[in-house]
Amino acid sequence: MVETAPLSSRPFAFDTEFDGAGSVVRASTFRPAKRAYLPAEVEALVAQARLEAREAALAEAASLSAMALSSIGQAVAMAAPALNQVAHQHREQAADLAMAAARVIAATALDHLPMGPLQSALETLGQEIDASPRLVVRASGLDDTARTRIQAVCVDAGFSGLVAFRDDPGLPIAAFQLEWADGRADFDPAAAADRIATALRSALATEAGHAESLDHGGQH
């Protein structure tokens, strides 16, 4: 019985070619597997393996970091509208609280100085009313002390005409109406507070719309 050699065995290699003079025309490509390494070669191989492992680990870490940043960016983009809404509601609540506090403080101040706004108005309107022959002052609580004080303020403002007083109990505290030859001015604390609140809400609404447009623009 004839035994065949294993397929992995290679007893002969005839792939080297020579010419007639014995010179090598084509060298053999066969290279025996190296089975023994010097210590320096082992250290070099280990160092190379460590370098390749480190580069692979860094590349994997960079890939994971990029994926994490992408996920964070997507989460932030998804949460941005809700965060904008929460921030807007917080600003509205803060504005409402500030307005409520301002109303309380203003009411207390006007209770102590009910003629304060009227005196400020007369001082501001000095040049407007100085040429008028007559000034009508309509307010509530115009007792003798208040009238004397108002006349003194008119004189200090440069008004030398007649001051006519109209006591109107229906007007709120610190509210007044002024009428002269070619003009009119009035003040109502509640109406003034309402106008300020309306302007504040309008500013907040405008700011909210601007923030929303910026958010949509960033998504495109």
Side-chain angles (χ1 to χ4, degrees):
M1 181 176 179
V2 179
E3 295 183 358
T4 58
L7 296 178
S8 60
S9 63
R10 187 172 181 176
F12 304 102
F14 299 106
D15 52 355
T16 301
E17 296 182 5
F18 303 90
D19 59 11
S23 300
V24 177
V25 177
R26 181 170 64 87
S28 173
T29 59
F30 172 73
R31 297 291 184 271
K34 190 171 184 178
R35 301 183 181 278
Y37 296 90
L38 297 175
E41 292 176 326
V42 173
E43 292 179 0
L45 291 174
V46 171
Q48 181 64 27
R50 288 177 177 173
L51 178 61
E52 293 176 355
R54 181 175 180 275
E55 291 177 349
L58 291 176
E60 184 178 0
S63 177
L64 292 175
S65 177
M67 292 175 60
L69 290 176
S70 177
S71 299
I72 293 173
Q74 293 177 0
V76 170
M78 293 177 62
L83 292 176
N84 287 336
Q85 182 65 24
V86 171
H88 179 64
Q89 291 177 353
H90 176 72
R91 286 192 292 269
E92 285 184 335
Q93 293 171 358
D96 291 341
L97 180 60
M99 282 300 303
R103 287 178 186 269
V104 173
I105 295 172
T108 303
L110 293 177
D111 286 340
H112 286 82
L113 295 172
M115 292 293 111
L118 177 56
Q119 294 178 16
S120 298
L122 290 172
E123 293 171 355
T124 303
L125 296 171
Q127 295 181 352
E128 297 287 337
I129 65 177
D130 59 356
S132 179
R134 185 168 181 266
L135 174 66
V136 178
V137 178
R138 189 183 303 273
S140 63
L142 291 175
D143 54 16
D144 292 339
T145 302
R147 295 186 183 196
T148 301
R149 185 183 306 168
I150 292 171
Q151 286 178 335
V153 172
C154 290
V155 172
D156 292 341
F159 179 73
S160 58
L162 175 65
V163 180
F165 294 96
R166 300 288 186 270
D167 192 1
D168 188 347
L171 290 177
I173 295 178
F176 62 84
Q177 295 175 356
L178 300 177
E179 296 179 5
W180 60 97
D182 55 354
R184 172 188 173 95
D186 58 77
F187 173 74
D188 185 342
D194 290 340
R195 287 193 297 270
I196 294 174
T198 300
L200 182 58
R201 285 194 295 268
S202 178
L204 289 173
T206 301
E207 181 184 358
H210 181 60
E212 183 178 358
S213 64
L214 288 178
D215 182 62
H216 290 335
Q219 291 180 0
H220 292 298

